[in-house]
Amino acid sequence: MPSADLFPAAGRRALITCRELKKNFKKIEAVRGISFDVYEEELFGFLGPNGAGKTTTMNMLATLLTPSSGDAIVAGHSISMDRDGVRRSIGMVFQDPSLDDRLTAEENLRFHAQLYGVSPADYRRRSEEVLRLVELWDRRFDIVKTFSGGMRRRLEIARGLIHHPQVLFLDEPTLGLDPQTRAHLWDYLLKLKKERHMTIFLTTHQMNEAEYCDRICVIDHGQIVALDTPAKLKKLVGDDVISVRPKDPSRVKAELDRIFQQVKYVEDGAYLHLRVSDGHTFLPILLTALPGEIESVTLREPTLDDVFLHLTGRSFRDEPETSKMSRGFRGHRH
Amino acid sequence: MRAATAIRTIAERELLRYVRDRGRVFVTVFQPLMFLVVFGSGLRSSLARSSFGVDYISFMYPGTVAMSIMSVSFFSTISTVWDREFGFLKEIMVAPVSRTSIALGKTFGAAIIAMSQGLLLLCFAPLVGISLRPQVIPAALVIMLLLASATAGIGLLVASLVRTVENFGVIMNLLVFPMFFLSGAFFPLTAVPTWMKIVSSANPMAYGVDALRQMLLAPTAGSGLMPLLLHPASLDALYLLAFSSVFVSCAVLAFSRRD
């Protein structure tokens, strides 16, 4: 599986080098020997459905889980040999809330800074810097209990930065946040990358969020199915996608196979997605060839949804959201 | 050096959470006083007619202080279960500090809260007719700290083994009452059946109560107290030191093994 194009950007310094990392929980193989590199100043995304092994991998890289086999080097430290070295080098924002909501924002930050050995002088300077970055400076003496979900997430990001980590890990950072807060949070993350040259490693199961990443690692059933830039991944699918809703899928499929043998398509519920090089000229031909067979049609550019469907044969939307939702709500019960 | 900072940071947070929680501060101060007044007065007027060398409420007083220390330190170690349930433990676990420092910080935090609680209760001694000699206070503080560490060790041990706050509560209730009843707080352990003597000899509370009783009551009671005591206070202190070393070590091991 690991091939040359999994590690394309030769010459750039790898900040995370992950080799044949494996994790079994009893009989379940959660992560099945994955290898990848994350480069300095990169915004690297782990994309996959729930249960794909994203969080398990991140927790291994953050030394919260011991790998069953394999190893990874994070900022020059082995995750199995030098846990403290790794821990000092990373900032972590967990999927579920991890603030002490009985303390103030400032107390949460100070606790963290002391555990990471930040000197009091550095702490005074940096706490202002990070709190201003996430626009919580005015609320620093407020008890976290009074904060909204978005504010808490921003405070967690500020906390993850205060010990000047070399890489920031974010596990589903926008989970459970409303769309406006989500967009806002992404502004902060992109600002962080642009202004602070921060290396960011995040997991997401949101296709549209993965678009912001420099490179995306698509993971499914504990294995890497693709690793590339969003643009190149979409190229896998073709230049254009025509989504049709046929009246009778089996008849339309048979017709497609007969008339347009060279056109590849995937079935996705009631829809067929056709991969074509020039959708604008192909669409009229398609409709003429299948008169009265098609209920609706959309011509669009490929999305990462199409890529996932192409790579795994399954749609992201098929994944049950229930377990995730309940976790999202749990995160906001305070 | 780093470990010391980590232990202090973890312990400081425990203290901060304690003082932030006014309801808890009030309850932990009010409860032992109520206990002393209601229970003590009730028993004094009916059952407790034998000679205790002092008034029955005064006799009960050191035991009430010990009970308060035990329940406060148990209750404080619940924060570990709480942290696990509410996600804060992950923030601690991903930090570059050893598991031992975390466990020691949690234990010391709980022990310091419990000891200050005991110290606070000493202020009420004159109200129940006990005149304290100032010079016994440092020694009493040592006993209180040892008792608090031993019970905090038990608390953290349980907290490391259970998953939920509910389970922690159940196990604690199971421990609190026998430890209290077999502590000698209500009745002297000098005239009890042999089985009870054996069981209570494994109870750190018995040594704490015994030591506090002789330190706090000696000036008031005089020699009338002598037949009710088990060991010299220094021996009690040694026992407590042994108990707290064992329990805190077990707690550190159990905590490090988890997660």
Side-chain angles (χ1 to χ4, degrees), chain B residues 151-193:
Chain B
T151 46
I154 298 173
L156 188 66
L157 180 60
V158 174
S160 307
L161 299 175
V162 301
R163 283 222 165 265
T164 63
V165 172
E166 286 81 5
N167 288 348
F168 183 85
V170 168
I171 295 179
M172 277 307 152
N173 270 335
L174 224 57
L175 284 175
V176 162
F177 288 105
M179 281 180 71
F180 182 44
F181 289 132
L182 296 174
S183 69
F186 282 141
F187 45 83
L189 289 170
T190 44
V192 294

Side-chain angles (χ1 to χ4, degrees), chain A residues 35-312:
Chain A
S35 304
F36 60 89
D37 287 358
V38 178
Y39 298 101
E40 268 186 336
E41 297 186 26
E42 186 172 41
L43 178 50
F44 186 88
F46 241 38
L47 175 72
N50 302 328
K54 303 185 300 279
T55 301
T56 306
T57 305
M58 187 173 275
N59 282 347
M60 283 194 279
L61 293 178
T63 74
L64 287 171
L65 276 177
T66 313
S68 302
S69 68
D71 198 6
I73 308 295
V74 177
H77 308 279
S78 155
I79 58 166
S80 43
M81 312 290 286
D82 183 11
R83 288 165 173 246
D84 271 2
V86 175
R87 287 173 183 152
R88 264 193 299 277
S89 317
I90 63 168
M92 183 90 190
V93 177
F94 296 98
Q95 187 169 322
D96 298 318
S98 63
L99 294 165
D100 186 338
D101 64 4
R102 293 196 198 177
L103 303 186
T104 66
E106 193 272 334
E107 284 162 349
N108 269 287
L109 283 188
R110 184 146 39 92
F111 177 85
H112 183 92
Q114 283 176 8
L115 282 192
Y116 283 76
V118 177
S119 74
D122 281 343
Y123 168 71
R124 269 192 300 280
R125 195 167 36 77
R126 291 185 199 174
S127 62
E128 177 166 359
E129 184 186 274
V130 293
L131 282 170
R132 285 199 191 283
L133 178 79
V134 298
E135 294 174 29
L136 286 173
W137 175 247
D138 297 334
R139 300 289 304 269
R140 65 191 182 281
F141 296 129
D142 291 355
I143 300 279
V144 170
K145 210 166 212 144
T146 63
F147 283 16
S148 69
M151 290 163 74
R152 286 175 196 217
R153 197 39 64 91
R154 269 147 55 199
L155 179 59
E156 284 174 325
I157 291 174
R159 183 177 70 178
L161 292 172
I162 200 162
H163 56 285
H164 284 185
Q166 296 189 53
V167 51
L168 184 63
F169 285 101
L170 300 139
D171 193 4
E172 300 272 2
T174 58
L175 191 74
L177 302 181
D178 61 76
Q180 202 189 345
T181 315
R182 258 174 211 223
H184 224 64
L185 193 67
W186 269 105
D187 291 342
Y188 291 117
L189 292 179
L190 294 173
K191 188 162 94 178
L192 205 60
K193 178 181 146 53
K194 201 173 153 208
E195 293 174 7
R196 308 272 300 262
H197 307 289
M198 180 61 74
T199 307
I200 301 173
F201 182 150
L202 61 89
T203 71
T204 182
H205 69 294
Q206 304 276 340
M207 293 287 180
N208 54 344
E209 293 191 343
E211 304 266 357
Y212 292 112
C213 298
D214 295 323
R215 283 193 305 147
I216 303 168
C217 182
V218 183
I219 179 167
D220 190 36
H221 294 308
Q223 279 174 321
I224 294 176
V225 291
L227 199 176
D228 220 322
T229 62
K232 279 192 185 152
L233 285 177
K234 287 180 202 164
K235 277 273 189 295
L236 290 174
V237 182
D239 296 326
D240 290 317
V241 173
I242 297 176
S243 296
V244 298
R245 189 186 166 94
K247 278 184 181 145
D248 180 350
S250 53
R251 203 160 62 219
V252 169
K253 268 157 58 185
E255 285 295 294
L256 284 174
D257 291 340
R258 194 173 60 81
I259 309 170
F260 306 106
Q261 283 112 343
Q262 78 282 12
V263 174
K264 293 211 170 64
Y265 65 88
V266 285
E267 202 169 355
D268 177 18
Y271 290 88
L272 296 175
H273 303 304
L274 282 64
R275 286 190 272 140
V276 292
S277 51
D278 186 359
H280 294 277
T281 53
F282 183 74
L283 187 57
I285 302 171
L286 176 74
L287 293 177
T288 320
L290 299 167
E293 292 286 355
I294 289 165
E295 282 189 342
S296 71
V297 61
T298 323
L299 170 62
R300 55 185 176 81
E301 292 189 342
T303 64
L304 289 170
D305 267 304
D306 297 310
V307 176
F308 190 78
L309 190 62
H310 168 70
L311 290 169
T312 67

Side-chain angles (χ1 to χ4, degrees), chain A residues 87 100 107 112 114 334, chain B residues 9 13 17 20 91 99:
Chain A
R87 287 173 183 152
D100 186 338
E107 284 162 349
H112 183 92
Q114 283 176 8
H334 303 284
Chain B
T9 305
R13 168 171 170 261
R17 279 174 69 89
R20 217 29 71 79
E91 147 79 357
R99 294 337 182 209

